[in-house]
Amino acid sequence: MEKPVVVYEPFRAGLPPMREYMRSLWSRRTFISEFSRSELREQNYGSVFGQLWLVLNPLLLSAVYFLLIYVIGGSSDATRFGHLTASLFLFYLVANSLTGGVKAITSGQRLIMNTSFPRVMLPISATVIALFKFIPTLIVFGVIHVLIGLPYSWQMLWAIPIMAIALVMALGMAILISCINVYFRDISSMLPYLTRSLLYLSPILYVASSISDRIKTFEIANPIFYLLDSWSRVLVHAQAPTVFGMVHASVWALSLFTVGTYFFLSRERDFAVRL
């Protein structure tokens, strides 16, 4: 049986025909879902204890950081634990997208060399995996919310658009860093330090209102600072997010997604040569 011949023609303006590209990407949505599930199974999340670990891991992380806050600060309360847990869970949605996305292209070398498909599927799969890991943490936080008696209100529905913004941001970061890693492989070695720095510079171990306005002006450069602040306001305090916080997070998310996608698609043809 003869293999189908794929003719590669140069892209106009460095980008593929977007309508055809998106149609090809959409037709492979089932593959993206199954590919993500197989990666999770490979990481032992398909077993009973693996799925249990999806719940235990974020819970243990929040317990360790709460102990750290208690030891350093000398005291803490249930609201602080709720803030820490909610913020940490959303932070790891972004961090897991970055960690999975950074080697999405380089680890898929055989697939890229032997198969014709939209390469952006690989960082998208990394974000889908991060989402699969994030969903159980929502259930965990729901239980914690009830146990420690945090307030409820209709303002908590703001969590839906905030989560959508977080997903767009996480996807943009995954696409961008997967492309950068093709050219600068050292970025994967630096990533743990980058994510750790992002953790400490974001309002997770502390609340945004506790830092001075002078320092807060520098936090505008942190993409997830106001995203996490808005998430905590909504889920922990049952308050509406600030307009500035939502605009800041939306602008960062759209900018990262647009720049990352453009950079990725304009370089996609070069990947097979660089790998």
Side-chain angles (χ1 to χ4, degrees), residues 66 76-85 141 144 147-150 236:
F66 184 71
S76 193
D77 53 30
T79 306
R80 189 70 178 276
F81 181 67
H83 164 80
L84 170 68
T85 309
F141 181 74
I144 291 173
L147 290 178
I148 63 179
L150 292 175
V236 179

Side-chain angles (χ1 to χ4, degrees), residues 35-254:
F35 183 76
S36 304
R37 291 178 190 277
S38 69
E39 289 290 314
L40 275 174
R41 282 194 291 270
E42 191 176 326
Q43 297 172 25
N44 297 321
Y45 286 118
S47 63
V48 174
F49 289 106
Q51 291 179 6
L52 187 63
W53 186 245
L54 277 174
V55 176
L56 284 178
N57 186 43
L59 200 57
L60 289 173
L61 272 175
S62 60
V64 168
Y65 281 116
F66 184 71
L67 183 63
L68 180 66
I69 291 172
Y70 189 84
V71 170
I72 293 175
S75 64
S76 193
D77 53 30
T79 306
R80 189 70 178 276
F81 181 67
H83 164 80
L84 170 68
T85 309
S87 304
L88 198 62
F89 289 172
L90 189 66
F91 171 80
Y92 272 96
L93 170 65
V94 178
N96 285 335
S97 297
L98 275 169
T99 306
V102 70
K103 291 186 177 179
I105 299 299
T106 51
S107 62
Q109 182 176 1
R110 288 185 179 178
L111 200 60
I112 289 174
M113 298 293 285
N114 296 309
T115 312
S116 174
F117 66 96
R119 309 315 193 210
V120 78
M121 284 170 49
L122 298 176
I124 288 176
S125 296
T127 307
V128 172
I129 291 170
L131 179 62
F132 284 159
K133 292 180 179 177
F134 173 70
I135 289 172
T137 65
L138 287 175
I139 301 170
V140 172
F141 181 74
V143 174
I144 291 173
H145 195 284
V146 173
L147 290 178
I148 63 179
L150 292 175
Y152 291 91
S153 81
W154 289 108
Q155 304 293 352
M156 294 179 74
L157 291 175
W158 278 101
I160 298 170
I162 293 172
M163 204 168 78
I165 294 170
L167 277 174
V168 173
M169 187 180 292
L171 180 59
M173 286 182 176
I175 291 173
L176 181 61
I177 202 166
S178 68
C179 186
I180 293 174
N181 190 51
V182 175
Y183 297 92
F184 305 101
R185 304 296 173 92
D186 291 338
I187 193 74
S188 59
S189 303
M190 293 175 60
L191 188 61
Y193 302 101
L194 292 174
T195 52
R196 190 64 60 88
S197 301
L198 201 59
L199 172 69
Y200 295 142
L201 291 172
S202 303
I204 300 171
L205 303 181
Y206 53 89
V207 291
S209 58
S210 65
I211 65 174
S212 67
D213 292 337
R214 184 181 175 185
I215 296 177
K216 200 178 289 185
T217 54
F218 293 102
E219 298 295 353
I220 293 174
N222 181 350
I224 63 171
F225 186 89
Y226 289 101
L227 178 75
L228 293 174
D229 180 46
S230 301
W231 183 253
S232 177
R233 283 172 184 269
V234 169
L235 285 189
V236 179
H237 302 282
Q239 299 173 355
T242 63
V243 176
F244 178 81
M246 291 296 286
V247 171
H248 178 275
S250 301
V251 169
W252 262 111
L254 291 174

Side-chain angles (χ1 to χ4, degrees), residues 3-9 11 16 20-21 23-25 27-28 31 108-122 268-269 272:
K3 294 182 179 180
V5 177
V6 179
V7 179
Y8 292 96
E9 297 179 350
F11 295 149
E20 185 180 334
Y21 192 91
R23 190 184 299 122
S24 175
L25 186 62
S27 67
R28 289 172 169 83
F31 174 80
Q109 182 176 1
R110 288 185 179 178
L111 200 60
I112 289 174
M113 298 293 285
N114 296 309
T115 312
S116 174
F117 66 96
R119 309 315 193 210
V120 78
M121 284 170 49
L122 298 176
E268 188 177 322
R269 284 281 179 83

